[in-house]
């Protein structure tokens, strides 16, 4: 599909992407609210100073590159600077502040409480069988987790104060009634997101999800070209589901992210910018770029990006976020960029993956399966993940060394 064709798409409730002085004002508001929260909670300038000093140290340890964008997305009255962080203002936005405060003052935070985001593979059901699916082997087997299990898992995560819970899959939209039921029974103390192909995301379902408390929808869209996306997703309806589903999500007031698996063939400047324009046309607030990994349906294939691809993607990532020409465009997220520079923050540190059987892993790619999330040993198991570190990161380093040796 050409960009000209996509210009006919007109979302009813487009998000506002703010940059420059407008986004600075929002950041000032956020920081001010954090100060007020800290002073109200701790009632001591010395304690607040200790917390801030520890936060600055942590930021220096984990962030070696300069800030890559100053944009924020404004959706339904809330500010989002990253679709993997809770929106502001909200009660759970301050949970991260509280956790970091406890770490700085008392160092008494459990491994589970320390997580920022948990992805729960909601179901094995999915109408697709995409080229890159990391759950390829599990797809469309009988579901093991019941609605009651999901409620218990969500309760356990919310009791530990997890601010972001993602429902992945399979495709959670294949069991949308269950998603709505679980959202309705959950506390208002986390941002919930659904990761989908766009299947079943009609106007009615988008509204139901919003009313049940969903924050956002992440739709897998792997090409701006209809035929190439459908080929990758092995279904000739996939592109229409993604685009129509995206529009329905935006119109329901949900935050929309388009997530792309960056194949080697896709990594050209033309493709990246065409994709960004399409995402803007549909009303997305974020574009999230994920690098392919040789797991699931990609197992045994040479899919990882080579330096020449990374160079094009890095350049796009910086330019699309910082260049004033793209100031109204969706915010681009590229976890691989930070992973290469700062290391992986998943592996039991900030992120946890729970598979379709309820067992914990470091992430959908590092399947170092540990105990069931409802078992009591989760603390020791998350600690084990932290000790083991990120297998994928080690693999990336080894592959980059091999490429360098080849080049030499
Ligand atoms: S839509 Fe998601 S779960 Fe379904 S086959 Fe594609 S990647 Fe796998």
């Amino acid at each position: 599909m050409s960009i000209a064709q996509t210009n006919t798409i007109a979302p009813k409730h487009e998000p506002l992407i703010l940059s420059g002085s407008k986004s600075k004002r929002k950041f000032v508001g956020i920081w001010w609210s954090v100060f007020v929260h800290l002073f109200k909670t701790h009632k001591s300038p010395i304690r607040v100073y200790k917390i801030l000093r520890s936060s600055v140290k942590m930021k220096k340890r984990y962030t070696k590159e300069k800030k890559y964008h100053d944009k924020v997305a404004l959706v339904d009255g809330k500010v989002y600077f990253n679709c993997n962080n809770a929106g502001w203002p909200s009660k759970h936005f301050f949970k991260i502040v509280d956790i970091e405060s406890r770490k700085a003052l008392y160092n008494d935070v459990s491994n589970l409480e320390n997580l920022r985001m948990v992805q729960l593979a909601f179901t094995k059901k999915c109408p697709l069988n995409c080229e890159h699916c990391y759950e390829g082997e599990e797809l469309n087997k009988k579901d093991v987790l019941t609605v009651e299990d999901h409620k218990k898992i969500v309760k356990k995560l919310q009791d530990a104060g997890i601010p972001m819970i993602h429902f992945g899959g399979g495709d959670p939209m294949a069991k949308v009634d269950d998603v709505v039921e679980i959202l309705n029974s959950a506390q208002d103390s986390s941002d919930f997101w659904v990761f989908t192909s766009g299947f079943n995301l009609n106007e009615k379902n988008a509204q139901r999800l919003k009313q049940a408390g969903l924050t956002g929808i992440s739709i897998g869209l792997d090409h701006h070209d209809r035929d190439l996306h459908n080929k990758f997703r092995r279904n000739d309806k996939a592109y229409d589901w993604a685009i129509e589903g995206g529009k329905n999500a935006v119109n329901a007031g949900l935050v929309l992210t388009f997530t792309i698996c960056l194949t080697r063939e896709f990594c050209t400047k033309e493709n990246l910018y065409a994709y960004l324009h399409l995402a803007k046309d549909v009303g997305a607030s974020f574009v999230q770029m994920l690098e392919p990994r040789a797991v699931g349906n990609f197992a045994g294939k040479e899919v990882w990006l080579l330096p020449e691809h990374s160079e094009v993607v890095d350049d796009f990532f910086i330019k699309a976020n910082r260049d004033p020409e793209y100031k109204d465009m969706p915010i681009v997220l590229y976890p691989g960029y930070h992973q290469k520079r700062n290391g992986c923050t998943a592996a039991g540190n900030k992120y946890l993956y729970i598979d379709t059987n309820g067992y914990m892993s470091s992430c959908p790619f590092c399947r170092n399966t540990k105990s069931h999330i409802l078992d009591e040993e989760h603390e020791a198991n998350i600690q084990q993940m932290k000790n083991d570190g990120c297998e994928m990161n080690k693999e990336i380093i080894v592959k980059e060394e091999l490429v360098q040796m080849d080049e030499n």
Side-chain angles (χ1 to χ4, degrees):
M1 181 159 190
S2 72
I3 297 304
Q5 280 171 280
T6 67
N7 285 341
T8 56
I9 297 163
K12 274 190 268 175
H13 304 292
E14 224 174 321
L16 265 182
I17 305 292
L18 308 178
S19 62
S21 59
K22 286 184 187 156
S23 69
K24 271 197 193 96
R25 279 204 286 277
K26 292 289 175 198
F27 278 116
V28 169
I30 292 172
W31 274 110
W32 177 248
S33 71
V34 169
F35 278 121
V36 171
H37 179 80
L38 285 175
F39 275 104
K40 267 192 188 163
T41 312
H42 298 285
K43 301 178 177 63
S44 150
I46 295 171
R47 278 201 286 266
V48 171
Y49 171 73
K50 274 189 185 166
I51 294 164
L52 293 175
R53 195 182 53 180
S54 151
S55 306
V56 170
K57 265 195 201 160
M58 190 183 71
K59 192 165 182 296
K60 275 193 187 150
R61 197 172 341 131
Y62 288 111
T63 318
K64 297 187 184 103
E65 75 269 27
K66 104 179 204 210
K67 200 172 163 202
Y68 67 95
H69 78 81
D70 72 344
K71 295 198 231 176
V72 294
L74 197 57
V75 183
D76 200 21
K78 285 195 181 157
V79 176
Y80 299 83
F81 46 89
N82 183 323
C83 59
N84 299 316
N85 279 105
W88 176 89
S90 64
K91 277 187 292 190
H92 32 291
F93 179 88
F94 294 106
K95 278 196 188 156
I96 297 169
V97 179
D98 292 336
I99 289 293
E100 293 307 323
S101 305
R102 274 175 54 198
K103 271 158 67 178
L105 296 176
Y106 315 113
N107 199 19
D108 68 344
V109 173
S110 71
N111 286 326
L112 191 62
E113 289 172 314
N114 192 43
L115 298 169
R116 299 270 170 94
M117 183 166 65
V118 173
Q119 179 160 357
L120 179 53
F122 193 79
T123 173
K124 298 175 193 279
K125 304 293 168 216
C126 182
L128 302 180
N129 183 12
C130 309
E131 276 189 34
H132 66 316
C133 184
Y134 51 67
E135 286 288 0
E137 285 199 7
E138 290 301 307
L139 284 187
N140 295 315
K141 289 184 182 167
K142 192 174 179 327
D143 269 326
V144 172
L145 296 173
T146 63
V147 172
E148 288 315 308
D149 290 331
H150 281 300
K151 285 183 183 170
K152 281 187 204 152
I153 294 172
V154 167
K155 183 169 185 319
K156 181 166 183 171
L157 299 177
Q158 292 201 302
D159 286 349
I162 310 292
M164 297 283 294
I165 300 176
H166 292 172
F167 294 139
D171 195 330
M173 292 306 293
K175 293 190 121 179
V176 64
D177 293 346
D178 292 355
V179 176
V180 169
E181 183 178 338
I182 289 155
L183 286 173
N184 276 326
S185 72
Q187 306 157 41
D188 175 25
S189 60
S190 315
D191 272 11
F192 285 94
W193 281 67
V194 162
F195 281 55
T196 174
S197 62
F199 167 72
N200 217 5
L201 190 51
N202 54 34
E203 220 176 304
K204 184 174 156 218
N205 283 336
Q207 296 287 352
R208 286 172 73 206
L209 289 165
K210 173 74 181 172
Q211 277 159 20
L214 192 74
T215 302
I217 292 273
S218 178
I219 296 184
L221 176 67
D222 300 301
H223 214 292
H224 55 89
D225 181 283
R226 177 195 299 267
D227 294 338
L228 292 176
H229 174 74
N230 287 345
K231 185 167 170 257
F232 190 75
R233 295 262 161 178
R234 298 168 172 161
N235 187 303
D236 60 11
K237 295 194 191 112
Y239 184 89
D240 291 339
W241 290 344
I243 300 299
E244 289 308 311
K247 284 197 287 180
N248 292 331
V250 173
N251 289 340
L254 293 162
V255 188
L256 174 64
T257 298
F258 275 130
T259 297
I260 178 167
C261 172
L262 292 169
T263 57
R264 291 179 180 182
E265 304 72 49
F266 183 84
C267 291
T268 67
K269 195 175 157 189
E270 294 70 29
N271 279 337
L272 288 159
Y273 284 99
Y275 187 98
L276 185 67
H277 281 277
L278 173 59
K280 160 82 178 156
D281 285 346
V282 180
S285 296
F286 297 94
V287 162
Q288 177 156 249
M289 305 188 293
L290 301 179
E291 294 190 15
R293 300 281 181 246
V295 297
N297 287 352
F298 267 165
K301 298 188 179 153
E302 292 196 1
V303 290
W304 57 90
L305 300 187
L306 299 171
E308 60 264 35
H309 308 115
S310 298
E311 204 178 307
V312 176
V313 181
D314 285 0
D315 186 61
F316 164 76
F317 170 62
I318 297 295
K319 209 165 168 200
N321 282 321
R322 285 200 196 138
D323 193 321
E325 189 184 342
Y326 303 105
K327 67 181 171 55
D328 301 326
M329 289 288 175
I331 298 164
V332 180
L333 306 174
Y334 181 21
Y337 182 90
H338 310 291
Q339 195 178 18
K340 279 182 211 148
R341 287 156 180 83
N342 305 317
C344 178
T345 53
N349 284 307
K350 303 283 175 220
Y351 173 87
L352 185 73
Y353 183 69
I354 301 172
D355 68 21
T356 52
N357 297 321
Y359 288 82
M360 306 186 298
S361 302
S362 289
C363 82
F365 307 117
C366 288
R367 289 305 181 87
N368 48 358
T369 306
K370 303 286 190 248
S371 62
H372 197 284
I373 182 63
L374 293 176
D375 288 349
E376 289 305 314
E377 313 90 78
H378 59 263
E379 276 303 300
N381 279 277
I382 299 173
Q383 187 57 46
Q384 187 62 51
M385 287 178 205
K386 286 162 102 169
N387 298 345
D388 293 347
C390 171
E391 285 305 315
M392 285 292 153
N393 218 26
K394 290 177 204 158
E395 203 180 301
I396 292 167
I397 293 165
V398 170
K399 277 169 188 155
E400 282 179 349
E401 282 171 357
L402 287 174
V403 170
Q404 289 230 312
M405 278 163 63
D406 272 0
E407 284 172 350
N408 294 337

